[in-house]
Amino acid sequence: PGSSSRAPRVAVVVCLLKDNTKVLLGRRRSSRGDSTFALPGGHLEFGESFEECAGREMMEETGLAIHNIELLTVTNNVFSDDNAHYVTVFMRATCVNPEEPPRNMEPDKCHGWDWYRWDNLPQPLFHPLQNMVQDGFTPFYTT
Ligand code: 8DG
Ligand code: MG
Ligand code: MG
């Protein structure tokens, strides 16, 4: 269908912080942003809070339990290549158990998860994330 018959969708993605310097990223297996590095996250379900969605997607995709879930910012993302439009809600959180490694729970959608320093991010980043980095955004706690 044409763009005029479709509505924007809401996505919730999570900057999962480690040592207040690193975030969890996975290389996507998807028609949208294939092979790019992206945050864990997915579609907001009917009736969910942003925090609930963040916790659910994190568990579904990485097996990790998270807490300290907070709103960071929202961006508007039009994917002209595949006629998709997302309002993307960026959350941050920390691991309930910092020693627990991430698991690749959806290997059909992701090549695997790993921790990356924000000052040494892998390339290429998924466009919505790349745009934030270019804008100078950082997800970490400041004192
Ligand atoms: P679901 O069925 O689990 O709800 O969806 P998913 O398979 O996990 O969807 P997704 O593609 O991982 O996330 C939904 C959309 O969110 C994605 O197609 C575009 C948007 N999105 C961004 N930035 C990011 C990001 O950094 N990571 C992820 N995973 N999605 C992002 O705008
Ligand atoms: Mg998902
Ligand atoms: Mg996902």
Side-chain angles (χ1 to χ4, degrees), residues 28 40-42 57 61 106 109:
R28 290 172 65 82
E57 286 287 343
E61 297 187 353
E106 296 178 340
K109 290 187 180 183

Side-chain angles (χ1 to χ4, degrees), residues 11-31:
V12 175
V13 302
V14 185
C15 293
L16 183 59
L17 308 184
K18 192 182 192 65
D19 304 330
N20 207 34
T21 51
K22 285 171 263 179
V23 295
L24 192 69
L25 298 177
R27 202 152 61 82
R28 290 172 65 82
R29 299 175 68 122
S30 168
S31 53

